[in-house]
């Protein structure tokens, strides 16, 4: 029982009329895992979470919770507490009464209810506000009430729908560490929906990337970052340059890729099989590209491009360039490295990178 | 918060203020003065005499009518609120946007016809040989006495208040945050329990105010207690007309009217205070 996944989405489809909000979602969530579902607004994240909570019925496929099929089971018969984006705290109850609510529904005796609610309020550092009205609390305090209210029944899984989106940046980061700390201490499964990459990547064990109802990639933050599966993910991460071409020769060690710019060499990927002549797309992280003056001798891959502009934030800068063929490139470097080249707009530069820094997109 | 009224808001609320002064406060002040006048040889004379207050307040007929009216209006507010709620709930939570709009339209229609006409037509339904008794007789029941008693009065109050109470309830239920309802379900609160634990508390202010309207309209109504309730024993509004008819006793009628206004103000104040009471400190 312990090694069955706590959640199994078995080819789940959700349609609203003729509109497909979630397309063939097929994945599992391990016990005690922190899983983030990430994607831009309207891609079906909330719908996926709501199906797990029992607030929406799948059109096709099955959802298994703890190995048991739960399709059609109303939300009040499931143990899948959720934290709403709007928090959905009851304004007509005090903080304490909010936290006691689900215990009351489970017919826990009054004294015990009170004790357990106070324990969780204390754990989240808001015990002093127990008798207050919700409207008297700050955003961060309300957040903690919502968490206490969902955790007070000590569930095996907690669903969170963009719970931090209303908080300012500072508070957001603080709540992120509260959340990851709680999840580690309690050892329960978190399913966390967010449109923010930094939230997903800083907290989650694994991330599901969705776009337009489809799951584009599932993996650990590191896997996704190092090996984006397709162009969408590479673009979404925002720090990769994607090249299209066709496979000219596939040796054991290196591949030669013919593109509209020139021919590039890359390290043969072990997990991707392609025949010569078939189309190939590969990504190069903007951090792995370097800039040099035209004419500098360079072994590896290189391409000429014109500087369009730059973005300077903190310790590093991003230089935006465009090739003669019109492809946009991004190069991210520390200020020291950029001192040696002239990066004024209109300047033509050599962009270069090593074969081992090319990542073939297997999903393209 | 700064509560000093701005010139802008004053400009817009000024007509309302003038209206309130002209048609509520001045007549009220006049009514207060009138209640201390005296009547001699069917002529009213300006005076400052507490005789009217003493006379009215020492009569048990007055107190009987007072408590009967209070009880009838409270019953009316409670029963109509209860009867309206399932309908309002269904309209707000179960109907689609289009059907909802149609229902709101349908609820406004009764106000197109005069209340008096509707009450007269109810006599045809409720009388001993009326449509309802004929129908019940057909089923082997009755006849029941439904006219010239409290049942008749309350039926009249319902025709007066029910559509308005449903409308007010629907509007307040429409404002209930649907996330709260789902959150309650998510925490093991079943459908019926959610109505009691979440929906009613969320919509409390609007529901109380809907009930308050039913109370106010029933408390002051003259038509239903007279034409459906039979007028005897009287309610306060009937008593006012009786008093004025007997010997020009306008000052004594003023005492009854002022007592009614004081009661309504007290009830309205208490209801609004209750409606907006918040949880916690
Ligand atoms: N109840 C519904 N009826 C019709 N369309 C819906 C409903 N709920 C969501 N959608 C649509 O499904 C898509 C995905 O919605 P949602 O899961 O809320 O997106 P996300 O949470 O990723 O922003 C959106 O295009 C939205 O308009
Ligand atoms: Mg959403």
């Amino acid at each position: 029982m312990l090694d069955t996944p706590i959640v199994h989405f078995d080819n789940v489809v959700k349609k609203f009329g003729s509109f497909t909000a979630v397309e063939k979602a097929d994945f599992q969530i391990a016990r005690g895992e922190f899983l983030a579902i990430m994607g831009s607004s309207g891609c079906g994240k909330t719908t996926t979470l709501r199906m797990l909570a029992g607030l929406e019925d799948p059109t096709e496929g099955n959802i298994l919770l703890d190995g048991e099929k739960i399709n059609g089971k109303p939300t009040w018969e499931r143990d899948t507490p959720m934290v709403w984006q709007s928090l959905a705290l009851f304004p007509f109850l005090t903080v304490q009464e909010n936290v006691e609510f689900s215990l009351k529904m489970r017919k826990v005796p009054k004294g015990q209810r009170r004790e357990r609610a106070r324990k969780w309020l204390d754990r989240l550092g808001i015990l002093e506000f127990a008798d207050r009205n919700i409207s008297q609390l700050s955003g961060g305090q309300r957040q903690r009430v919502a968490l206490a209210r969902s955790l007070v029944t000590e569930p095996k899984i907690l669903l969170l729908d963009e719970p931090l989106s209303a908080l300012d940046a500072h508070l957001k980061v603080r709540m992120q560490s509260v959340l990851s700390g709680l999840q580690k201490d309690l050892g329960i499964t978190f399913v966390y929906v967010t449109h923010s990459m930094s939230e997903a990547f800083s907290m989650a064990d694994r991330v599901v990337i969705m776009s337009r109802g489809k799951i584009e990639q599932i993996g650990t933050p590191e896997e996704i970052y190092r090996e984006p599966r397709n162009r969408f993910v590479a673009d979404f991460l925002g720090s990769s340059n994607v090249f299209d071409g066709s496979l000219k020769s596939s040796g054991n060690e290196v591949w030669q890729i013919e593109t509209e710019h020139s021919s590039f060499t890359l390290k043969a990927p072990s997990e991707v099989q392609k025949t010569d002549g078939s189309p190939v797309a590969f990504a190069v992280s903007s951090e792995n590209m370097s800039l040099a003056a035209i004419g500098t001798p360079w072994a590896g891959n290189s391409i000429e491009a014109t500087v369009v502009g730059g973005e300077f934030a903190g310790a590093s800068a991003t230089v935006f360039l465009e090739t003669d063929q019109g492809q946009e490139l991004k190069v991210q470097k520390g200020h020291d490295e950029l001192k040696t080249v002239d990066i004024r707009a209109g300047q033509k530069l050599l962009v270069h990178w090593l074969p081992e820094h090319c990542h073939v997109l297997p999903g393209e | 918060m700064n509560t000093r009224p701005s010139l802008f808001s004053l400009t817009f609320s000024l007509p309302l203020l003038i209206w309130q002064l002209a048609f509520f406060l001045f007549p009220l002040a006049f009514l207060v003065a009138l209640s201390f006048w005296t009547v001699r040889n069917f002529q009213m004379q300006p005076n400052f005499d507490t005789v009217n207050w003493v006379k009215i307040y020492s009569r048990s007929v007055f107190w009987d009518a007072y408590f009967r009216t209070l009880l009838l209006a409270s019953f009316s507010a409670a029963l109509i609120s209860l009867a309206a709620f399932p309908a309002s709930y269904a309209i707000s939570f179960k109907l689609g946007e289009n059907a909802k709009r149609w229902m709101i339209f349908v609820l406004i229609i009764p106000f197109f016809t005069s209340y008096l006409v509707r009450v007269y037509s109810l006599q045809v339904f409720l009388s001993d040989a009326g449509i309802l008794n004929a129908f019940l007789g057909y089923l082997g029941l009755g006849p029941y006495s439904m006219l010239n008693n409290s049942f008749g009065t309350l039926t009249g109050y319902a025709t007066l208040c029910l559509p308005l109470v449903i409308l007010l309830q629907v509007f307040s239920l429409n404002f209930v945050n649907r996330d709260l309802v789902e959150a309650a379900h998510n925490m093991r609160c079943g459908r019926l329990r959610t109505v009691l634990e979440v929906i009613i508390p969320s919509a409390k202010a609007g529901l109380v105010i809907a009930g308050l309207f039913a109370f106010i309209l029933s408390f002051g109504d003259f038509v239903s207690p007279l034409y459906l309730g039979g007028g005897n024993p009287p309610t306060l509004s009937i008593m006012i007309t009786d008093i004025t008819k007997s010997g020009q006793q306008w000052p004594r009628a003023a005492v009854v009217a002022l007592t009614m206004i004081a009661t309504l103000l007290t009830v309205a104040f208490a209801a609004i205070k209750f409606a907006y009471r918040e949880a916690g400190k």
Side-chain angles (χ1 to χ4, degrees):
Chain A
M1 193 68 188
L2 268 177
D3 27 295
T4 54
I6 187 155
V7 173
H8 183 178
F9 272 74
D10 179 13
N11 282 302
V12 173
V13 175
K14 177 65 192 179
K15 291 185 180 170
F16 294 110
S18 59
F19 174 77
T20 307
V22 176
E23 222 172 280
K24 289 245 178 250
D26 194 57
F27 63 94
Q28 304 185 340
I29 305 174
R31 220 164 282 277
E33 186 174 30
F34 194 134
L35 184 91
I37 301 178
M38 177 180 68
S40 46
S41 178
C43 71
K45 310 179 294 289
T46 298
T47 307
T48 307
L49 200 69
R50 286 170 60 84
M51 285 193 285
L52 184 51
L55 297 165
E56 214 80 72
D57 260 336
T59 314
E60 284 170 35
N62 293 319
I63 300 175
L64 288 85
L65 184 67
D66 249 340
E68 182 204 351
K69 187 176 148 183
I70 53 168
N71 301 30
K73 205 172 177 183
T75 186
W76 53 81
E77 285 173 18
R78 302 183 184 190
D79 266 320
T80 47
M82 177 155 149
V83 177
W84 264 254
Q85 188 164 6
S86 66
L87 300 183
L89 295 170
F90 300 131
F92 44 87
L93 298 180
T94 62
V95 167
Q96 165 118 17
E97 288 165 340
N98 264 281
V99 177
E100 281 183 24
F101 190 86
S102 50
L103 296 176
K104 192 173 159 193
M105 295 305 125
R106 276 156 224 250
K107 303 193 172 65
V108 176
K110 205 164 180 165
Q112 213 179 327
R113 221 152 76 195
R114 198 181 135 78
E115 202 174 301
R116 280 170 70 177
R118 292 184 83 81
K119 189 189 100 188
W120 277 97
L121 288 173
D122 191 26
R123 180 159 193 169
L124 285 159
I126 44 171
L127 186 56
E128 57 187 303
F129 307 114
D131 295 323
R132 294 265 188 99
N133 185 274
I134 299 298
S135 62
Q136 295 164 304
L137 302 187
S138 71
Q141 290 161 348
R142 285 180 205 194
Q143 196 68 61
R144 288 163 193 261
V145 179
L147 277 172
R149 186 177 75 167
S150 301
L151 289 170
V152 72
T153 57
E154 296 175 13
K156 280 187 269 186
I157 185 165
L158 180 67
L159 316 181
L160 305 106
D161 188 5
E162 311 213 21
L164 307 185
S165 56
L167 304 182
D168 64 55
H170 204 81
L171 207 51
K172 211 177 261 188
V173 176
R174 185 147 65 198
M175 282 310 293
Q176 279 179 21
S177 62
V178 169
L179 279 173
S180 357
L182 265 178
Q183 195 264 343
K184 291 216 170 60
D185 291 351
L186 299 169
I188 69 177
T189 310
F190 273 29
V191 185
Y192 186 97
V193 159
T194 178
H195 65 266
S196 150
M197 190 168 91
S198 80
E199 271 178 35
F201 278 41
S202 63
M203 288 189 285
D205 297 321
R206 279 195 311 154
V207 180
V208 175
I209 297 187
M210 287 184 78
S211 100
R212 295 209 229 136
K214 232 175 79 214
I215 293 178
E216 300 286 355
Q217 186 164 6
I218 305 179
T220 65
E222 211 183 77
E223 275 166 13
I224 291 178
Y225 196 72
R226 269 209 331 253
E227 294 160 12
R229 213 182 74 83
N230 57 26
R231 186 187 316 273
F232 176 85
V233 177
D235 283 345
F236 193 78
L237 299 177
S239 55
S240 291
N241 299 290
V242 179
F243 293 91
D244 287 294
S246 63
L247 187 54
K248 199 160 67 180
S249 72
S250 53
N252 276 338
E253 296 289 320
V254 292
W255 283 9
Q256 287 291 329
I257 311 285
E258 187 71 43
T259 72
E260 55 175 345
H261 309 280
S262 65
S263 173
F264 294 121
T265 309
L266 50 97
K267 198 167 154 263
S270 52
E271 71 282 12
V272 187
Q273 301 296 324
K274 293 230 187 219
T275 52
D276 287 3
S278 57
V280 173
F282 66 93
V284 185
S285 159
S286 58
E287 290 156 26
N288 287 328
M289 285 185 161
S290 300
L291 298 172
I294 300 276
T296 315
W298 183 257
N301 297 308
S302 67
I303 187 171
E304 285 183 11
T306 311
V307 177
V308 177
E311 207 173 70
F312 303 88
S316 72
T318 308
V319 182
F320 295 85
L321 307 101
E322 200 175 300
T323 65
D324 293 342
Q325 288 78 14
Q327 173 159 2
E328 291 168 355
L329 297 176
K330 275 184 298 230
V331 179
Q332 201 180 356
K333 284 283 140 202
H335 294 300
D336 286 349
E337 288 173 70
L338 287 176
K339 262 190 211 149
T340 55
V341 284
D342 183 0
I343 52 168
R344 275 175 302 178
Q347 189 70 31
K348 218 162 194 180
L349 291 176
L350 193 70
V351 183
H352 58 83
W353 65 93
L354 295 170
E356 56 264 42
H357 286 145
C358 299
H359 163 69
V360 173
L361 300 174
E364 290 293 322
Chain B
M1 220 181 358
N2 185 2
T3 50
R4 215 169 58 111
S6 68
L7 190 65
F8 180 77
S9 65
L10 215 59
T11 316
F12 282 95
S13 56
L14 211 56
L16 186 72
L17 271 169
I18 292 171
W19 180 275
Q20 290 276 3
L21 276 174
F23 294 100
F24 185 69
L25 276 184
F26 288 147
L28 189 64
F30 178 69
L31 214 55
V32 172
L34 185 68
S35 70
F36 293 100
W37 289 13
T38 47
V39 178
R40 196 159 293 162
N41 298 329
F42 301 101
Q43 292 282 318
M44 280 192 286
Q45 291 171 346
N47 202 344
F48 191 83
D49 195 333
T50 54
V51 62
N52 301 311
W53 291 90
V54 173
K55 273 267 152 62
I56 291 287
Y57 278 12
S58 61
R59 273 196 212 153
S60 65
V61 197
F62 167 76
W63 290 113
D64 285 349
Y66 181 81
F67 287 112
R68 184 178 315 109
T69 312
L70 201 64
L71 200 67
L72 274 174
S74 309
F75 254 123
S76 163
L79 288 179
I80 291 171
S81 291
L82 277 178
F85 188 79
S88 313
Y89 174 78
I91 293 169
S92 181
F93 280 86
K94 303 294 168 195
L95 294 187
E97 284 307 311
N98 242 333
K100 217 185 262 188
R101 243 166 272 159
W102 274 107
M103 279 312 295
I104 287 171
F105 180 68
V106 165
L107 284 166
I108 291 173
I109 289 181
F111 297 101
F112 292 1
T113 57
S114 147
Y115 167 48
L116 192 62
V117 172
R118 280 183 284 150
V119 162
Y120 266 126
S121 66
L122 266 179
Q123 287 191 339
V124 181
F125 280 85
L126 300 180
S127 68
D128 287 352
I131 296 174
L132 266 179
N133 268 322
F135 180 72
L136 289 172
Y138 188 71
L139 298 175
L141 297 167
Y144 295 102
S145 177
M146 293 183 276
L147 205 58
N148 300 331
N149 54 22
S150 298
F151 181 84
T153 307
L154 285 170
T155 311
Y157 288 163
T159 26
L160 177 65
C161 309
L162 193 63
L164 179 70
V165 170
I166 296 179
L167 278 174
L168 291 173
Q169 288 189 348
V170 166
F171 291 138
S172 60
L173 290 177
N174 283 348
F175 275 102
V176 173
N177 182 350
R178 277 12 186 200
D179 279 358
L180 299 189
V181 176
E182 286 193 333
H185 288 338
N186 184 241
M187 287 185 285
R188 295 241 158 157
C189 193
R191 277 188 216 285
L192 181 65
R193 189 137 196 217
T194 301
V195 172
L196 300 174
E197 299 268 357
V198 175
I199 296 175
I200 290 179
S202 288
K204 188 176 91 180
L207 299 178
V208 169
I209 288 185
L212 176 64
F213 263 98
F215 181 88
I216 292 171
L217 289 174
S218 307
F219 190 74
D221 185 38
F222 169 75
V223 174
S224 284
L226 187 65
Y227 294 105
L228 299 175
N232 196 16
T235 60
L236 289 180
S237 48
I238 294 174
M239 187 174 250
I240 289 179
T241 57
D242 288 351
I243 293 172
T244 54
K245 274 184 229 154
S246 60
Q248 289 293 317
Q249 275 297 353
W250 290 97
R252 287 189 192 170
V255 171
V256 179
L258 285 169
T259 310
M260 289 177 77
I261 291 171
T263 305
L264 286 178
L265 283 175
T266 312
V267 170
F269 183 80
I272 288 170
K273 193 159 179 200
F274 172 71
Y276 288 98
R277 198 178 54 191
E278 284 202 335
K281 209 304 339 77

